[in-house]
Amino acid sequence: MKYSLDLKKYAALARRTAAEGCVLLENREGALPLKKGAKTAVFGRAAFNYYKSGLGSGGLVNTRYTVSILDALKKEDTILVDARLEEIYKEWIADHPYDRGNGWGKVPWFQKEMPVTEEMLEIARSCDISLVIIGRTAGEDEDNMDQPGSWLLTEEEESLIRQVTENSRCTAVLLNTGNIIDMSWVKKYAPQAVMYVWQGGQEGGNAVADVLTGRVNPCGRLSDTIADGIGAYPSTENFGDVTRNYYREDVYVGYRYFETFEKERVLYPFGYGLSYTSFDIQPEIAGRNKESVTIQSVVKNTGTAPGRAVLQVYAEVPQGMLGNPLRKLIGFAKTKELAPGSAETVRLEIPKYTFASYDDSGKTGDKSCYVLEAGVYRIYAGGNVRDAAYAGEFYEDHQVLERLEERCAPVRAFNRMRPQIRDGKVSLCYEETPLKSAEIRRDVPGEIPYTGDRGYKLKDVFEGKVTMQQFIAQLPDEELITMFRGEGMCSGRVTPGTASAFGGVSEGLEEFGIPAVCCADGPSGIRMDCGTKAFLLPCGTLQGCTFDPELIQSLYEMTGLELRLNQVDSLLGPGMNIHRNPLNGRNFEYVSEDPLLTGKIAAAQTRGMGKMKIGNTIKHFCCNNQEAGRSTSDSVVSERALREIYLKGFEIAVKEGGARSVMTSYGAVNGLWTSGNEELCTGILRDEWGFRGIVMTDWWAKANYPGKDASTEAKTPMLLAQNDLYMCVPCPAENPEHDDVEEMLASGKLSRGYLQRTAVNILSYILETPAMIRQMDAVSPEEKAAAAELKAADRIDDEIEYYEMKDTGLEYDAAKLDPQQGRSDQFGIITKTGGELMISMEMCADLTPFAQIPVSVFCNEEYRGVIQINGTEGRWITREKNLGMIRQGKNAIRFFYGADGLQIGALRLRVIPR
């Protein structure tokens, strides 16, 4: 295995991914690509404040650089970017600086746009083309809203587009967003070109320049349906309630709804995207057997430019007793780059299971089964869901493809959508949703008799000297319970600044040779809150729009190597919740409204990292489809919709990608918080899908007993459900959150077998991680050298002002500190003697308790740990920390701030002589 990380190759792959995810929606009059020598005016504040990613745990990557769209275009030799317009913007921005907000969950989703002046319009009239860049961010803890600056354009943005379009020979609008926004303005102002360029990570600007200049032919396709307003999406009326949301739209999510009931409300259909060339697609059914159907199509480039096409295959299945969407995506493939006049034959073998329906009612006579109802199955294939051409049809007798048990069914009555067909016309009607009919009996895991310490180490299991059961038989109850708790944030046992450690998180567990395994956020790249640099990837929506799992897998092989060299064993991603509604604040982390596309992209990410022996944690399992009330809201959803829509992507990631780690969501599904849902975490995930990995909670999640409120103390339901890891606490051996595990074990309501089952899962996972290789001191010289090479860069050598320590210590003037995300503050101390350096810091953050605010502390450029708080909702608290030994004389102190929103009050340092 080669360990050297080629950052240039990494950047090239990310750049290609970001370019191939751009979706061209309009291109009238040949507006794009830019003509050679074109005088180009670049409008919009987002040209200067590029949104490289969304916010929250999925976006806090410390990058070495970020390339904006304007900076990338200015490097182009083939076009002329108007410098006068750039200076006009710079002068205005100097008086209207970037609004950073006040930290996690309190960042504005847009930046105020500059009013258009006559001078700016003169420039527009004098140039060959005007580019208008509109930017949006979004993220954790807050959803988008149906208001200007979020889902809608602001008045200033609309005015900008209107005036520039009216005064330019040609206008192209670029949308630098993480998710779709309202597009009703396109028809009103009619710019010649419109393109979603998404949030492209650190190489995003270069990627957009590649597409604009024609070096890359746009081949991204929409991973979501764009309708004529937020009210068109059937989930909107049941979105955003912090207590309970009824999924009345059932399986009719996104294009499944619009293609069945309201085609006329679609502005841009699912899978849509233009190219600088044209393609002819001639699909046919090439074969069929008992288990699959084969679709074949000749895809020919009939235009004048080289390009790639996406073949999308859809099924129209019989309505039968269950009712079905008129279109289901059942397969897709992306061609190689085709020269004008050349063609490629694409052949897809599609399992019939892909388009089977789940019967949660028993109407077909086969309750709790995936079935093919008797009737005609029609196949369509083409460039998007609306334009897919008829490829053929076949008849199927009623078949049961998989017989299961009822799991996670709703307990609250509600009505759900279904089609009604009369005289060949489809109309919308509702039916009662089947409710939970039976309790599944839980099998109590057997206990391994306790033997006491026999001297076995985990290394002995790795080498096959003892069995896992023999090893676990040594562990006492207190260590088994400790292993259930992850340690974090920013545990000192693992790579600095990361999200958590698990496994060997106590001295007792370390004595058994169990290493501490490191996991780090997140879906956009490695988040290390101590300031360590990492590569920022294109956002999840963009990756979905590539429709190219092979490309995504190649990119994530690089990510896997980067993780390994940073001694991070598991990435907390990908995020793969369904885009149920465009307003979900975290849609940028996720992939699509479609479960098949979501699953295929996530499986590719998983396989890519797996090649480097890095695990990833697919999340959030399941129904994390809004940020409002994400820890309090109950998703009331049918079992059919769960299985066909909200769990399907996870199923694909497990079965096809080999995912070995799953993170449960914060909230409840049908009354039971997912972290303690046995039917979800064991019944579906393990028993049905064959998952053999670990399940962890989201950070500081709650659980509940049936019919009870959720709480942080109720952690026994997690163990009963086979949710192996609670994430996370500062000192796992001390039970800092006063959970009920010891109490339940003592009372007999929890058996030792459950703890041992969890230990088997965790330790089996650890055996396959690089952490185990490090524990055995078996890391190769090549890997060590590559890791050292990666860390050699990024050293900070700023000038430092030194302060003399008195016997009583030093109170540093905190007003000199500037605690903004991504910044460092440095100062020095001069001590009369060496000893242990103690620090006391008064801290406040007017943010929710879910906000994570770390301050990493370095002494003489050696990492000494993190001072971590969560949002304090405006309360001042004091944190103290022992920073370890320092020398007599000069010592340099550096703080790195991992998040915004922090206020620092009194800051005191003192030395305990040794």
Side-chain angles (χ1 to χ4, degrees):
M1 185 182 292
K2 293 183 178 180
Y3 293 105
S4 181
L5 182 61
D6 186 337
L7 289 173
K8 290 184 178 179
K9 180 181 177 182
Y10 201 176
L13 268 173
R15 180 171 177 168
R16 180 186 163 195
T17 302
E20 296 206 3
C22 291
V23 181
L24 183 63
L25 298 182
E26 302 281 348
N27 197 27
R28 295 183 293 108
E29 304 168 24
L32 297 177
L34 298 172
K35 308 299 186 291
K36 188 173 182 179
K39 293 175 63 178
T40 306
V42 182
F43 289 86
R45 176 157 195 165
F48 299 84
N49 303 125
Y50 176 69
Y51 286 120
K52 60 186 183 294
S53 180
L55 302 169
S57 59
L60 294 172
V61 179
N62 300 302
T63 60
R64 293 176 178 86
Y65 63 88
T66 300
V67 181
S68 73
I69 298 172
L70 178 61
D71 287 341
L73 289 173
K74 286 164 59 179
K75 292 185 294 184
E76 294 292 334
D77 296 330
T78 59
I79 61 172
L80 302 172
V81 176
D82 191 275
R84 186 159 56 111
L85 182 58
E86 180 183 359
E87 288 305 314
I88 291 172
Y89 269 103
K90 284 183 176 179
E91 289 176 11
W92 184 83
I93 289 173
D95 295 327
H96 301 81
Y98 184 85
D99 183 359
R100 299 176 61 93
N102 191 34
W104 189 302
K106 291 193 175 183
V107 176
W109 279 182
F110 76 105
Q111 295 294 310
K112 182 175 176 59
E113 191 54 77
M114 179 182 179
V116 181
T117 65
E118 179 57 31
E119 184 182 8
M120 295 164 71
L121 294 178
E122 286 179 6
I123 293 171
R125 288 189 285 267
S126 69
C127 287
D128 298 306
I129 187 169
S130 295
L131 303 179
V132 179
I133 305 174
I134 301 296
R136 287 286 185 280
T137 192
E140 201 164 352
D141 258 358
E142 185 179 350
D143 288 314
N144 293 294
M145 300 183 72
D146 182 18
Q147 64 185 30
S150 187
W151 169 252
L152 302 172
L153 296 182
T154 65
E155 183 178 340
E156 291 84 2
E157 289 169 338
E158 286 218 34
S159 177
L160 172 65
I161 293 173
R162 177 181 60 80
Q163 293 188 76
V164 170
T165 302
E166 289 174 350
N167 286 274
S168 299
R169 301 174 203 171
C170 185
T171 303
V173 179
L174 309 180
L175 301 170
N176 170 209
T177 68
N179 46 270
I180 61 173
I181 62 173
D182 174 72
M183 299 296 289
S184 60
W185 52 268
V186 176
K187 184 176 181 180
K188 188 187 307 183
Y189 305 120
Q192 281 76 13
V194 178
M195 183 162 63
Y196 271 98
V197 300
W198 310 114
Q199 294 163 345
Q202 67 186 63
E203 281 287 333
N206 285 331
V208 175
D210 289 340
V211 176
L212 291 175
T213 58
R215 282 192 298 271
V216 174
N217 193 334
C219 53
R221 303 295 181 259
L222 283 176
S223 63
D224 295 294
T225 305
I226 298 179
D228 61 10
I230 196 62
Y233 296 89
S235 58
T236 298
E237 65 175 320
N238 284 287
F239 173 87
D241 191 282
V242 299
T243 302
R244 187 169 295 111
N245 290 277
Y246 291 92
Y247 286 44
R248 299 187 194 277
E249 72 277 7
D250 205 52
V251 298
Y252 301 93
V253 178
Y255 71 86
R256 284 168 163 82
Y257 170 80
F258 290 108
E259 296 305 306
T260 305
F261 300 116
E262 289 199 282
K263 295 176 70 171
E264 69 280 359
R265 299 204 65 175
V266 174
L267 298 178
Y268 301 100
F270 175 85
Y272 179 81
L274 298 176
S275 171
Y276 297 151
T277 190
S278 56
F279 298 96
D280 179 64
I281 299 175
Q282 298 293 333
E284 63 177 354
I285 297 176
R288 182 166 64 95
N289 58 37
K290 185 178 180 181
E291 296 182 348
S292 66
V293 58
T294 300
I295 309 301
Q296 181 172 292
S297 181
V298 177
V299 181
K300 183 177 181 180
N301 184 341
T302 57
T304 59
R308 303 182 72 192
V310 178
L311 176 69
Q312 302 166 40
V313 182
Y314 297 88
E316 178 185 354
V317 308
Q319 289 298 314
M321 300 297 295
L322 300 177
N324 269 291
L326 294 186
R327 293 290 184 273
K328 294 181 181 181
L329 181 69
I330 61 173
F332 62 90
K334 200 164 190 174
T335 69
K336 64 184 179 182
E337 184 172 81
L338 300 175
S342 65
E344 179 180 342
T345 299
V346 178
R347 190 178 177 90
L348 289 171
E349 184 177 356
I350 299 171
K352 293 179 180 178
Y353 180 73
T354 306
F355 49 87
S357 303
Y358 184 79
D359 184 359
D360 60 359
S361 64
K363 288 181 179 180
T364 68
D366 291 296
K367 188 179 184 303
S368 303
C369 295
Y370 276 104
V371 300
L372 296 178
E373 290 198 77
V376 175
Y377 288 73
R378 296 183 177 88
I379 304 298
Y380 301 83
N384 61 72
V385 67
R386 186 64 57 84
D387 294 341
Y390 176 76
E393 62 186 53
F394 53 89
Y395 182 86
E396 290 282 354
D397 290 321
H398 180 82
Q399 294 181 47
V400 174
L401 298 188
E402 188 174 26
R403 194 172 296 279
L404 302 169
E405 292 183 88
E406 176 190 280
R407 301 194 193 269
C408 300
V411 295
R412 288 182 175 272
F414 69 104
N415 292 333
R416 64 179 179 183
M417 289 182 182
R418 67 160 294 156
Q420 179 175 277
I421 300 181
R422 290 180 179 172
D423 300 325
K425 295 182 178 180
V426 180
S427 60
L428 173 63
C429 68
Y430 287 85
E431 65 180 6
E432 291 184 0
T433 305
L435 301 181
K436 191 176 186 70
S437 61
E439 292 290 337
I440 305 295
R441 184 180 61 82
R442 178 187 290 123
D443 292 328
V444 178
E447 292 188 21
I448 304 169
Y450 177 59
T451 63
D453 189 353
R454 296 286 185 88
Y456 303 143
K457 308 298 181 186
L458 190 59
K459 177 182 178 182
D460 298 322
V461 181
F462 183 89
E463 295 175 343
K465 296 177 181 178
V466 299
T467 67
M468 180 65 78
Q469 286 68 30
Q470 287 174 304
F471 177 78
I472 285 177
Q474 305 175 103
L475 303 181
D477 291 347
E478 57 269 23
E479 298 298 358
L480 291 170
I481 294 172
T482 298
M483 201 189 308
F484 159 68
R485 305 178 186 125
E487 181 177 80
M489 298 272 297
C490 301
S491 168
R493 301 177 189 274
V494 291
T495 297
T498 52
S500 185
F502 65 87
V505 292
S506 70
E507 291 183 5
L509 292 170
E510 288 174 347
E511 286 296 317
F512 285 104
I514 301 172
V517 173
C518 178
C519 53
D521 287 320
S524 299
I526 313 173
R527 170 189 172 189
M528 290 176 279
D529 286 340
C530 60
T532 302
K533 305 297 185 184
F535 202 97
L536 180 65
L537 300 165
C539 74
T541 300
L542 184 152
Q543 292 185 39
C545 290
T546 68
F547 276 74
D548 193 343
E550 185 177 340
L551 174 60
I552 300 302
Q553 179 171 325
S554 297
L555 178 63
Y556 274 80
E557 286 180 31
M558 303 293 288
T559 302
L561 178 55
E562 184 184 19
L563 286 156
R564 182 162 183 149
L565 294 181
N566 279 285
Q567 296 189 0
V568 177
D569 306 290
S570 183
L571 187 72
L572 300 175
M576 51 184 307
N577 290 109
I578 294 297
H579 292 179
R580 177 182 179 238
N581 190 277
L583 298 183
N584 183 7
R586 275 182 107 165
N587 276 350
F588 83 96
E589 292 187 36
Y590 307 145
V591 175
S592 173
E593 68 187 23
D594 180 77
L596 178 74
L597 177 59
T598 296
K600 294 290 187 179
I601 294 296
Q605 295 172 325
T606 302
R607 287 192 299 269
M609 284 184 275
K611 286 197 171 185
M612 296 299 156
K613 304 300 181 184
I614 296 297
N616 63 323
T617 302
I618 54 178
K619 65 180 189 180
H620 304 86
F621 193 62
C622 59
C623 291
N624 192 82
N625 301 310
Q626 65 181 50
E627 287 302 287
R630 59 180 171 150
S631 64
T632 60
S633 182
D634 182 14
S635 294
V636 184
V637 56
S638 77
E639 186 188 1
R640 180 184 180 187
L642 276 175
R643 289 184 179 275
E644 291 190 27
I645 304 294
Y646 299 104
L647 294 176
K648 184 61 67 176
F650 291 96
E651 180 182 0
I652 294 169
V654 169
K655 291 181 176 179
E656 298 182 17
R660 297 191 295 121
S661 178
V662 173
M663 180 190 291
T664 50
S665 55
Y666 276 123
V669 173
N670 293 327
L672 201 59
W673 267 249
T674 60
S675 62
N677 189 327
E678 190 270 344
E679 292 184 9
L680 180 68
C681 298
T682 294
I684 292 176
L685 178 62
R686 299 177 191 273
D687 296 346
E688 293 181 8
W689 299 349
F691 178 77
R692 293 292 176 266
I694 54 171
V695 180
M696 65 177 70
T697 70
D698 205 337
W699 269 225
W700 313 294
K702 299 176 182 179
N704 71 320
Y705 294 93
K708 303 292 184 181
D709 292 336
S711 71
T712 55
E713 290 80 18
K715 292 192 173 63
T716 296
M718 300 175 187
L719 287 161
L720 297 175
Q722 207 169 174
N723 191 335
D724 306 297
L725 282 162
Y726 172 75
M727 294 294 193
C728 54
V729 294
C731 301
E734 298 175 10
N735 192 15
E737 292 187 351
H738 310 290
D739 66 50
D740 62 359
V741 176
E742 286 98 336
E743 175 189 343
M744 291 297 186
L745 184 66
S747 69
K749 295 178 181 178
L750 173 71
S751 72
R752 178 176 161 85
Y754 286 101
L755 296 169
Q756 292 174 326
R757 181 178 68 176
T758 280
V760 168
N761 293 337
I762 295 171
L763 296 175
S764 297
Y765 181 92
I766 290 175
L767 288 174
E768 298 182 36
T769 66
M772 196 66 211
I773 304 299
R774 298 194 299 271
Q775 174 75 10
M776 298 187 298
D777 197 23
V779 178
S780 70
E782 294 80 7
E783 184 174 351
K784 289 179 180 178
E789 180 183 353
L790 186 62
K791 292 176 181 177
D794 310 321
R795 182 179 176 85
I796 296 176
D797 287 319
D798 292 342
E799 291 186 8
I800 298 175
E801 183 177 2
Y802 282 87
Y803 299 85
E804 194 162 333
M805 292 273 284
K806 299 178 180 178
D807 292 339
T808 56
L810 170 71
E811 182 161 339
Y812 184 77
D813 182 3
K816 296 181 178 181
L817 303 176
D818 186 15
Q820 295 186 47
Q821 179 190 331
R823 280 187 49 82
S824 289
D825 279 315
Q826 293 194 93
F827 61 93
I829 56 175
I830 303 173
T831 62
K832 297 178 181 178
T833 180
E836 291 183 342
L837 179 63
M838 304 295 296
I839 187 170
S840 171
M841 185 180 287
E842 291 183 359
M843 310 168 80
C844 173
D846 189 17
L847 302 169
T848 73
F850 286 107
Q852 302 158 21
I853 307 156
V855 180
S856 296
V857 186
F858 297 79
C859 184
N860 302 320
E861 280 307 308
E862 179 184 275
Y863 177 73
R864 294 297 181 91
V866 66
I867 301 174
Q868 162 86 32
I869 67 169
N870 286 46
T872 64
E873 298 178 319
R875 293 178 295 104
W876 283 92
I877 61 174
T878 300
R879 287 283 188 265
E880 295 185 348
K881 190 172 183 65
N882 186 329
L883 298 178
M885 296 296 294
I886 61 169
R887 62 195 176 214
Q888 179 183 355
K890 289 186 174 182
N891 291 273
I893 307 298
R894 178 164 69 90
F895 299 144
F896 177 84
Y897 309 109
D900 282 327
L902 176 65
Q903 299 176 63
I904 299 177
L907 175 63
R908 302 178 180 90
L909 299 103
R910 60 188 176 92
V911 175
I912 302 175
R914 288 288 185 270

